[in-house]
Amino acid sequence: MSNIEILKRLYIDYTSKYLKKIIIAAFFSFLLAISTSSVAYLLDPAIDELFINKDQKLIYIIPLLIVLAFAVKGLSLYVAKVIMISVSEEVRRDVQVDMFASLIKEDTKVVDNKHSGEFLTNLTNDVGMITNLISTVILNLVKDSLTLIGLMSVMFYQNWKLSLIAIIMIPLASFAAKSLGKRIGKVVNQQMSRAGELNTYLIEVFKNHKLTKIFQREQYENKRAVEFLNSLKETSKKIGIVFVRASPIMEFLTGIMIAILIFIAAKLINNNELEVSNFFSFLAAMMLAYQPVRSLATLNIAVQQGLAAAKKVLPIIDSVPTVRDKKHTKDLKIKDGTITFNDVEFNYTTTADKKVLKKINLNMPGQKITALVGLSGSGKTTILNLIPRFYNIDSGDILIDNQSIYNTSIYSLRKEISLVSQDTTLFDDTIKNNIKYAKADATDEEIQKVAKLSFCEEFINKLPDKFDTLIGENGVRLSGGEKQRLSIARAMLKESSIILLDEATSSLDSETETKIQKALKILTENKTTVVIAHRLSTILNSNNIYVIDNGKVADSGNHDDLLIKSPLYKNFYEKQIQK
């Protein structure tokens, strides 16, 4: 996408809807330009009438007009900035809303492959630069352009010869700004990259702070933090230096212009071609023009920052997930919830030579428990993740009650599925809201019922705020067993037809495990259940067991059959007995 296309896109999608406000800001920018030019113009009669001719009639009027001009200037600048601040924050919100909406629908594969710190950088720093491009640049462009036109009108009115000389500074300043703009574009990209790396690092450190303490790696992490911060500091310093580099250039150019103008003005005054009052009015207009010229000269830097950020943010907003509904999909109709895999092949990346799943054929009876057994990395979790379409398969088909999940709407599919994973995910919110996440309109009675059935009630009632207790980031204030029971309560509340269990009873004490097993029994009663089996109790309770090995179905059957015909299963079972 070219820079022109990016600017056009930003205008159509985000700026155009606030055009009325921008026009009002432009009107006040016009008043600002008029009032600023009036200040310079009033110096002519002030010097001529008050100091040279000593006319006492205007001794009150001209100072009052100057005060009025400054008052209008200040008020106009204030109103224009307030309006554009409002517009900028609206635009920031709009871009962030669009970006978040795209991220929340993004493919699991894409989210897995990018660290959350990078997304946070895009959502905050990069969007901030786009906002600056849309708001600050527009305001300064309008305000400073109009002010410069007004002041140059005063300059030409006072003396056209001096004005032509002064105009030379504008292309010189523009040329300097253009060279700075090229430099700033490269440095800004570096700064964005460093900021993303820092965010990624900080999230990792705070998430794993216990690990840092137990392995006594505080000094190591301090050293790493200093390296990241130093890297960001250097790029930020480069940007700051490039920004201020315009100042000495402009000061030098201004000095040359003033020296030349004084020299020529002295000649013109001696030849009676210019009045002293005209010269001071001209000089005031030129000095006042210094600020808008400098602002316009450095405007390209902010534009380059905004464009660099937009090149990162807009592709995220435009991203179309591959896991999406086809046209004319139908809602999934559940009868008994039988799940069938027909010659399913899958890989997480297109570049990998080895398939994760190879011609998988499974039949998981409705309202029964099907267990998946196998070594770590054999493909069990992948099979589980394909049922709710977290990923699209490469070939084959997955059916529920003879309906392809690829011909049904994703909403109706996931509405019928609950997932209880060994990696329990909870929000930094109350216990009630964490359970209620499965059903937003659930009543307190429904929440209390599932809390009781999942054995959550016994620990909830011991908490000071009961169901309104805040549990911290990912439930940090709860034990592993308590978190697991909360996730079961959440799944119960959904009342879905299909339950997916990445069984999480390992590493729990026997009492807690017993409670979770009882809760799971209630959860899975008369439900189609697919469970990754880690425990002997789950294996024995399963109606059918699939042995998964290296992405293939090595064997299937009930427990007794597999003990006879499957060496892999027998080995797995014997290891369980020894535990």
Side-chain angles (χ1 to χ4, degrees), residues 49-103:
E49 299 297 331
L50 298 182
F51 299 115
I52 297 176
N53 296 331
K54 298 180 182 180
D55 187 346
Q56 296 300 301
K57 294 177 184 178
L58 300 175
I59 197 167
Y60 296 110
I61 296 174
I62 291 177
L64 282 173
L65 289 174
I66 291 174
V67 170
L68 180 62
F70 272 103
V72 172
K73 178 185 176 184
L75 183 62
S76 299
L77 181 60
Y78 170 78
V79 174
K81 282 191 172 182
V82 165
I83 291 171
M84 290 310 296
I85 287 171
S86 172
V87 170
S88 69
E89 291 309 313
E90 293 283 353
V91 168
R92 184 197 300 273
R93 190 273 320 275
D94 292 346
V95 175
Q96 287 177 329
V97 165
D98 285 353
M99 184 180 170
F100 185 80
S102 180
L103 286 174

Side-chain angles (χ1 to χ4, degrees), residues 107-127:
D107 290 337
T108 304
K109 189 182 293 187
V110 174
V111 177
D112 287 346
N113 289 335
K114 188 172 180 179
H115 198 283
S116 54
E118 293 182 60
F119 289 125
L120 287 175
T121 302
N122 296 142
L123 201 57
T124 53
N125 295 12
D126 295 347
V127 172

Side-chain angles (χ1 to χ4, degrees), residues 299-315:
L299 210 59
N300 188 43
I301 296 174
V303 172
Q304 291 296 327
Q305 284 183 310
L307 290 172
K311 286 175 182 177
K312 291 188 174 185
V313 170
L314 290 179

Side-chain angles (χ1 to χ4, degrees), residues 244-264:
V244 299
R245 197 175 290 170
S247 295
I249 296 171
M250 293 301 296
E251 294 289 349
F252 180 66
L253 292 174
T254 303
I256 293 174
M257 285 299 104
I258 291 175
I260 294 172
L261 289 170
I262 290 173
F263 176 79
I264 295 173

